[in-house]
Amino acid sequence: MRTYALTVFDQSGEKLLDESFTASTDDEAKTVGQAKLEEAGFQEHTHRCVTPEAKLILFHR
């Protein structure tokens, strides 16, 4: 398992969510990240999800 970071920002740049979670693959992490965004209602906010190596796998601005 690998640890991924999911961060959500508001328009002023303030962090609304800064969470880590584990997944087996980048594809699984992208799916988990999208589900977490939907649960919290943040899918239209600026967000990013990165791998342990800081590779961007999910982004919305």
Side-chain angles (χ1 to χ4, degrees):
M1 293 296 249
R2 296 163 32 102
T3 302
Y4 294 81
L6 178 64
T7 311
V8 178
F9 304 92
D10 70 8
Q11 290 182 346
S12 70
E14 180 183 342
K15 285 184 185 178
L16 300 175
L17 179 73
D18 191 8
E19 183 177 315
S20 296
F21 63 91
T22 59
S24 298
T25 66
D26 290 355
D27 287 336
E28 180 184 342
K30 187 174 180 179
T31 301
V32 170
Q34 288 172 328
K36 287 181 177 289
L37 290 168
E38 288 178 24
E39 279 178 25
F42 288 143
Q43 46 295 34
E44 295 304 317
H45 284 76
T46 299
H47 59 263
R48 67 179 177 210
C49 184
V50 296
T51 68
E53 300 81 26
K55 176 184 168 190
L56 194 61
I57 60 169
L58 186 62
F59 179 76
H60 176 76
R61 189 170 102 144

